[in-house]
Amino acid sequence: MKKIDIVVGARPNYIKAFPVYEALMKTGNYNLRLINTGQHYDNNMSKIFFQQLGMKKPDVDLSVGSGSHAAQTAKIMINIEKEFLTKRPDLLIVFGDVNSTIAAALTATKLNIPIAHIEAGLRSFDRTMPEEINRLLTDQISNFLFTTSPEAENNLLAEGKKKQQIHFVGNTMIDSLVKFEKLFNCSQLLKKRNLTKNEYILVTLHRPSNVDNPTKLKDVANSLNKISERSKIIWPIHPRTWQKLTQYKIYLNEGIYITKPKGYLEFMGLQKHAKFIITDSGGVQEESTYFGIPCFTVRDNTERPITLSKGSNMLVGSDFTKLSNAISEFTNKEKRNKLVPKKWDGKAAERITSIINNKIL
């Protein structure tokens, strides 16, 4: 029986990996091993996804924790190499663009272990972003490239990858969304805050470029304070972002409700029933597109352009002083229809499994 190692480490990985693990397990053809690097170690950022999704607990937990990009990547490589040498897999599957992805892929390729990269070919064309470097390098050393949208293939071909390596399968993150949508529920949180569905703005911000600089973070707070004068805001805050707000003694007014990171089911309920979303997250751009919720992405670029052309996402740039006006202009002049990109239908993992069965192992 062929052996497949599936590596997860950060919040988005769990959501993307669950349907793939489940689909491969159903075939009965593979000896699967789930490896958690422990890149996200807060319960609501990691373990809760195993609990809520019903995914089996990891077979291996590397528990690397936090650290600089170099330190975290190095810890993962050292620890995961031991696992690969002990029980050498026939295929490694990695997801997305986090440090766990590039660390596992780089270690595997030096051991001549074939690599499948799910969510390949996404590009922001901004190499100042650590995630962009992770995406580029992982794709270059991967043998099999599973893409979520058509433009990803063009990016990969332009970078020298062969067409036969590339498979347009859809989005496994949407697979999880489709499977669990009936369980999404944020009623308890809304009731506690005396809020109504479709009348609040959901905020998720965590990128260092937005929250690590005190001047930038003050601009974030000032903009959100202004917006909250018209609409209440719920902000499930990333631990690092909360630490920075506290460190810099930045004030948020009473119209902004700060909460700890939420579990998958509750957070997705918050997305589904939001009036608008303000984010710098790649995954939220995709999820809000599926829901058809207007999403204002506070970045100068996105590696997910299909959410702009087909979805409900709007790129408003990184100048937070312009955010309030952007929301006002949108409210006054346009509404977005729900357009779901091709193959975002809940069946991406089935397509991946079929390809692995017929073409890879």
Side-chain angles (χ1 to χ4, degrees):
M1 186 177 288
K2 296 290 187 178
K3 295 179 290 185
I4 300 178
D5 280 355
I6 298 175
V7 171
V8 296
R11 174 191 179 275
N13 294 161
Y14 303 114
I15 304 166
K16 296 167 188 173
F18 174 82
V20 177
Y21 185 97
E22 188 177 53
L24 288 169
M25 180 61 73
K26 284 180 179 178
T27 68
N29 295 336
Y30 306 107
N31 183 352
L32 301 179
R33 185 169 63 155
L34 186 65
I35 300 176
N36 175 28
T37 68
Q39 179 176 334
H40 275 171
Y41 54 91
D42 179 271
N43 184 59
N44 279 333
M45 300 295 285
S46 57
K47 292 181 182 178
I48 198 168
F49 292 100
F50 293 106
Q51 298 163 2
Q52 290 192 340
L53 301 184
M55 190 174 184
K56 71 180 290 293
K57 291 184 179 180
D59 300 289
V60 177
D61 197 330
L62 301 181
S63 301
V64 299
S66 62
S68 68
H69 285 279
Q72 193 174 67
T73 302
K75 287 178 185 176
I76 295 169
M77 291 181 69
I78 291 169
N79 290 328
I80 208 166
E81 182 183 48
K82 298 173 184 176
E83 296 299 329
F84 291 160
L85 290 172
T86 301
K87 294 184 179 180
R88 188 182 184 90
D90 298 292
L91 179 69
L92 169 69
I93 300 179
V94 294
F95 302 81
D97 54 20
V98 297
N99 288 340
S100 298
T101 304
I102 182 59
L106 187 57
T107 305
T109 197
K110 287 178 177 290
L111 297 173
N112 296 314
I113 297 169
I115 303 161
H117 184 202
I118 293 175
E119 202 181 70
L122 298 182
R123 298 290 180 268
S124 67
F125 302 101
D126 178 1
R127 295 200 179 192
T128 66
M129 294 176 61
E131 296 88 348
E132 182 76 353
I133 302 303
N134 291 346
R135 286 189 286 265
L136 282 161
L137 296 181
T138 300
D139 284 339
Q140 280 302 305
I141 58 178
S142 291
N143 307 84
F144 312 102
L145 302 157
F146 295 104
T147 64
T148 62
S149 54
E151 76 279 356
E153 178 173 328
N154 297 331
N155 295 334
L156 293 166
L157 291 173
E159 293 164 6
K161 302 304 290 188
K162 298 177 181 178
K163 190 174 181 64
Q164 58 266 34
Q165 293 179 285
I166 304 168
H167 307 279
F168 174 34
V169 293
N171 193 330
T172 65
M173 178 177 279
I174 301 303
D175 285 15
S176 287
L177 189 158
V178 170
K179 180 179 178 65
F180 294 103
E181 185 171 6
K182 63 183 178 182
L183 301 178
F184 297 161
N185 191 343
C186 60
S187 298
Q188 187 174 352
L189 176 59
L190 296 184
K191 183 178 180 180
K192 181 179 179 181
R193 299 294 188 176
N194 196 28
L195 295 172
T196 305
K197 290 180 179 179
N198 307 314
E199 294 297 329
Y200 61 87
I201 295 175
L202 176 65
V203 172
T204 77
L205 298 170
H206 71 280
R207 291 186 181 274
S209 58
N210 281 332
V211 303
D212 281 4
N213 181 286
T215 301
K216 188 73 172 180
L217 191 55
K218 287 176 183 176
D219 287 341
V220 171
N222 290 337
S223 182
L224 294 180
N225 284 338
K226 184 176 180 180
I227 292 168
S228 70
E229 294 173 0
R230 303 192 304 270
S231 297
K232 299 297 183 183
I233 290 174
I234 297 178
W235 189 357
I237 200 160
H238 192 283
R240 191 182 74 255
T241 306
W242 176 247
Q243 187 270 329
K244 295 295 182 182
L245 284 169
T246 304
Q247 177 183 343
Y248 302 139
K249 298 179 181 179
I250 295 174
Y251 167 79
L252 296 173
N253 72 25
E254 294 180 352
I256 302 174
Y257 300 119
I258 298 292
T259 75
K260 292 181 179 180
K262 296 290 128 183
Y264 178 69
L265 300 179
E266 188 172 17
F267 180 71
M268 296 304 290
L270 287 173
Q271 281 203 66
K272 183 177 180 179
H273 298 297
K275 180 180 180 181
F276 303 129
I277 298 172
I278 297 170
T279 193
D280 57 13
S281 162
V284 172
Q285 294 175 57
E286 294 179 330
E287 291 159 344
S288 60
T289 281
Y290 182 86
F291 289 132
I293 304 297
C295 178
F296 298 88
T297 297
V298 281
R299 288 168 48 186
D300 293 318
N301 50 61
T302 179
E303 65 283 353
R304 293 163 168 85
I306 198 165
T307 65
L308 302 175
S309 60
K310 299 290 185 183
S312 57
N313 187 25
M314 288 149 277
L315 202 62
V316 297
S318 57
D319 185 350
F320 277 86
T321 63
K322 298 179 180 179
L323 180 59
S324 179
N325 288 337
I327 292 177
S328 296
E329 290 175 6
F330 170 84
T331 303
N332 292 333
K333 73 179 183 180
E334 64 175 312
K335 296 292 181 183
R336 292 270 177 128
N337 294 321
K338 178 179 176 180
L339 294 174
V340 179
K342 185 178 180 181
K343 293 189 179 180
W344 288 24
D345 55 3
K347 298 179 180 179
E350 294 177 16
R351 298 183 187 103
I352 291 168
T353 298
S354 177
I355 292 166
I356 290 175
N357 284 338
N358 298 322
K359 298 183 179 182
I360 297 178
L361 294 179

